[in-house]
Amino acid sequence: MRAKLIVGNWKMNGSRAANAALLDGIAAGLDGAKASIAVCVPAPYLQQCEDALKGGPIAWGAQDVSAYSGGAYTGEVCAKMLSDFACRYVIVGHSERRAYHGESSELVAKKAQAALGEGLTPIVCVGETLEQREAGRTVDVVGAQLGAVLELLPAEAVGKIVVAYEPVWAIGTGRTATPEMAQEVHAQLRAQLRARAGSAADGVAILYGGSMKPENAHELLAQPDIDGGLIGGAALKAQDFLAIIHAT
Ligand code: 13P
């Protein structure tokens, strides 16, 4: 059985004071937690996370990484820099980056490759818009998004990624995919991983993201191919994040 993985995506939220309170609050309620846990934070706070979390049960990571390995790319942060702060994870291809920064699936694939090259675990996000779902295109859209990554990576690297299915219409809207809707897509993603990487696909964590909260986490996490959650809003409140962790 795959261990559950609960990842908080803080997005562009936080301050030194708020982060310290949040991390303290989470650490105080972890007794008995069975899930693996991580927080993906804005880059300026990686040092703070390393200082606060080193040696403990919560891993940390970033929300984006450059496809390039370094040099004249103003504003970019490369995978080696994330490793320098002992990051374990980096989110790539979040729908907010695809939508607001024009990131293509090909670029996302290069970012995943760059992360793996430095020993980081990329959390590859895929997801359809409401319009795409209503047009019956969900499987095609998420299949093409994951496909670009699977095409670029060697088969033996596929087992080292994490995938996150985040329907765009469920992010920050309070609208969640039903457990059945999510499971259907997760099973499809698993089949696609298996076609590329064989049995290594069975070890890949496929997370659900999109308005996951204490009230719906248990039911979502009970699905056979939902291996955890990528949590936005609820990851900013220690009690809510803990409730989701304890729902695994
Ligand atoms: P919400 O949990 O706020 O809907 O955000 C989900 C998300 O985008 C996590 O990456």
Side-chain angles (χ1 to χ4, degrees):
M1 210 178 90
R2 289 176 292 274
K4 299 285 192 211
L5 171 62
I6 302 295
V7 181
N9 172 11
W10 289 4
K11 308 195 178 184
M12 197 167 70
N13 293 291
S15 65
R16 293 187 70 87
N19 304 343
L22 178 55
L23 293 174
D24 282 352
I26 297 167
L30 280 182
D31 267 2
K34 294 190 189 74
S36 299
I37 305 158
V39 289
C40 288
V41 308
Y45 298 128
L46 288 171
Q47 177 75 69
Q48 184 183 16
C49 284
E50 185 180 12
D51 292 344
L53 302 174
K54 199 167 31 188
I58 305 175
W60 59 95
Q63 299 170 10
D64 184 32
V65 66
S66 178
Y68 302 104
S69 59
Y73 299 99
T74 301
E76 295 270 273
V77 173
C78 65
K80 209 179 197 59
M81 294 171 182
L82 300 182
S83 300
D84 213 8
F85 289 92
C87 288
R88 185 176 308 164
Y89 297 99
V90 61
I91 297 170
V92 295
H94 192 281
S95 62
E96 288 151 15
R97 297 220 49 96
R98 292 179 191 260
Y100 309 143
H101 301 271
E103 292 195 7
S104 66
S105 294
E106 290 66 34
L107 178 62
V108 172
K110 286 183 189 154
K111 290 183 171 199
Q113 186 183 43
L116 286 164
E118 285 299 329
L120 297 161
T121 299
I123 301 176
V124 178
C125 298
V126 299
E128 82 287 4
T129 62
L130 186 59
E131 196 185 8
Q132 290 164 335
R133 173 162 282 269
E134 286 175 346
R137 295 183 51 221
T138 300
V139 167
D140 288 352
V141 169
V142 301
Q145 289 171 337
L146 181 61
V149 175
L150 299 185
E151 206 170 291
L152 189 67
L153 298 185
E156 61 274 15
V158 172
K160 296 182 184 157
I161 70 172
V162 168
V163 176
Y165 170 54
E166 299 205 309
V168 176
W169 48 270
I171 295 176
T173 58
R175 249 184 102 173
T176 324
T178 64
E180 296 72 28
M181 273 160 101
Q183 167 59 26
E184 192 182 355
V185 178
H186 282 231
Q188 165 71 29
L189 294 168
R190 181 91 55 208
Q192 193 179 356
L193 290 163
R194 207 172 278 135
R196 177 76 176 103
S199 58
D202 296 327
V204 174
I206 307 179
L207 314 181
Y208 170 80
S211 298
M212 194 187 266
K213 46 190 179 240
E215 300 79 57
N216 59 28
H218 183 80
E219 230 190 329
L220 284 160
L221 294 167
Q223 300 298 312
D225 286 294
I226 301 186
D227 306 313
L230 184 56
I231 323 294
L236 299 174
K237 294 186 201 124
Q239 289 319 313
D240 286 358
F241 194 52
L242 283 167
I244 295 171
I245 290 167
H246 290 293
T248 58

